[in-house]
Amino acid sequence: MMSLRLQYASTGVYRRLRHSPWQYPPTKQTIPASRLYLSPPLQQRRHANGYGGGPQLPGQVGPQPGQPEESDSKSGGVGTRNPSSEWRPTLIKMFESAATTVVSLFVLGLAGYGYHRYYKYLVLQKMENAFKPGDPVLEIAALGGAPPATVVDNDDEHWIRLKEQQKIDAIVDGTDRGHYHLLIGEKGTGKSSMLLDAMQKVSGEGVSMFEAHADPEIFRIRLGKALDYEFHEDYIGSLFSIRGPRDTTALLDIERAFNKLEKIALKRRKEVGKPLVLIVNSTHLLRDDDDGRDLLELIQQRAEQWAASNLVTVVLNSDDYWVYERLKQYATRMEVLPVLDLPRPQAISALIKYRARYYKEEPKLETLEEVYEKIGGRLSFLNQVARSRDMLHTCEKICRAEKTWFLNNCWILGEEMDDDVMDQQKYASAAMVLAKALVDQEKEQGSMYSPETGRVLPQIPLHKAREIMTRADFIKDYDHINIFTIDAQAMVRADSVPMLNAFRQICSEEGFEEHLQLTLDRISAIESLGRTREIVAKDLINNIYQIQGRSDRGEGIRVSVKGKADDENG
């Protein structure tokens, strides 16, 4: 091992060696280089002169005290360094940093692009699964434990066979294509039941159904549930610095869902050759305002486009006339399917089959005729009566409930009503006037009865009904609350047979016409007071005053004393 002789007279070294565990006498001694500890200033000077970290070899001359250090810029000396060697470590580090950044960005971009592609594929795959057999609507209906209203039991034997059922079956199974359809009819006529029955026959394959709502946001959520579409709410592309779809209105989200549905429909048409079926139930729940009309217009535009290309068959189910009135403006491929009450033969036959199956009895024909006279052929009413022990008592309850509903919404207050309720009384009196007009028409024409269809309710054209009420805006509200109904031919009639019976009972009460006339007179008087302006003349004297001029002719009004006016004119 190389050694080095040093004089302990060196101050810095001596101080450090003095405190070392070695005991050296103050004489010259050889110290191994591995044990030699130099102070930091000495180490820096040795490195600066090119000696490195080892001991000084014989022949190497270090800097003497008081002598300036040799510059590194001298060429050919022992301490000379190449200037390029100073930048080499920096360049290497820069290159490593740049390579790391580029590789990181490439991996991040590749991962983000891969996730984006996978997510788009997953969205289409989930939406495609939504149209496979087993619709959630059918599962919920099955959990209820009751078959649709058009079926007796889980078998295919129909106790009420509607003529519209065959048409709906062809629409749902994809046979009837090239159009979109509007089912319109009163509440309880069996529209939704027929749709569920048709879906059960195909096990929900290629069909999706959901309920509409007045709020567009809830409508969006229900549409997404039916199509199994999350509207990119589960998208995590932001982790890869990929911006997803921007937050916006519900209407734009619905448009995006329809775009995805169109891709699935194109794929299905190539594989199966049949269109998808999208059913929007309770379309009348949409509000008749700007948002509701915009949403309905969006659905109609897509329905027209899909019907022309046989991609998707849209079925709209509505209880109110305003939906048909709105769609009629731009409809070219729309078919309207009105669903009415059951005819008399089918209603009586259905009651006989039901009572024989579940109660082992055969009711008398007179009893069945009386039941039909009270509730007509409304499917929801027939279901209640057929399941009850006392059918006539149930009919009375139904009629009483309909009458109470009408009176609670449209009863008139008479001559003593306060002027604060005038707007509500306008609404109520118009309904009473129209109900009286229907009853009077039935009296004039007689009870219209057909052996095939049964009782025919009196009806008035829509424009005539508005003329009778002297209001054009109330009739849609009456249709919405199920007091009057407007069919696809724009004919106004009572919403049901029990409601018409309520009209008869109210209009036949003693003093009803006088009470109605007093209410109308009171409304006219309040309106007249609102249009009247009073002129108060103060500090009058015992003279005769004369008022001249007409404001409607632009002449103005002039008040003067008659004697003075004659003197001025004379």
Side-chain angles (χ1 to χ4, degrees), residues 146-162:
T150 55
V151 183
V152 173
D153 208 338
N154 291 329
D155 55 9
D156 294 333
E157 181 182 355
H158 288 70
W159 67 286
I160 296 176
R161 182 63 182 178
L162 294 171

Side-chain angles (χ1 to χ4, degrees), residues 194-256:
M194 288 191 294
L195 290 171
L196 290 175
D197 188 18
M199 290 176 63
Q200 281 185 345
K201 293 176 182 177
V202 296
S203 300
E205 199 273 332
V207 186
S208 185
M209 178 179 180
F210 69 99
E211 296 285 333
H213 194 271
D215 190 348
E217 289 290 343
I218 299 180
F219 187 95
R220 177 186 73 92
I221 293 175
R222 292 182 177 180
L223 175 63
K225 180 183 177 182
L227 301 180
D228 200 4
Y229 180 56
E230 299 292 340
F231 298 100
H232 289 79
E233 293 176 355
D234 56 346
Y235 186 71
I236 58 174
S238 58
L239 297 178
F240 306 99
S241 301
I242 301 176
R243 182 182 178 184
R246 59 187 179 90
D247 296 334
T248 181
T249 61
L251 205 62
L252 187 54
D253 283 339
I254 295 171
E255 176 70 14
R256 289 171 178 161

Side-chain angles (χ1 to χ4, degrees), residues 312-339:
V312 182
T313 300
V314 179
V315 180
L316 304 175
N317 184 13
S318 174
D319 295 349
D320 294 350
Y321 176 77
W322 80 268
V323 177
Y324 167 75
E325 197 173 40
R326 179 66 182 175
L327 295 176
K328 186 70 172 62
Q329 300 179 20
Y330 308 107
T332 56
R333 295 180 176 271
M334 183 179 69
E335 287 190 355
V336 180
L337 182 60
V339 181

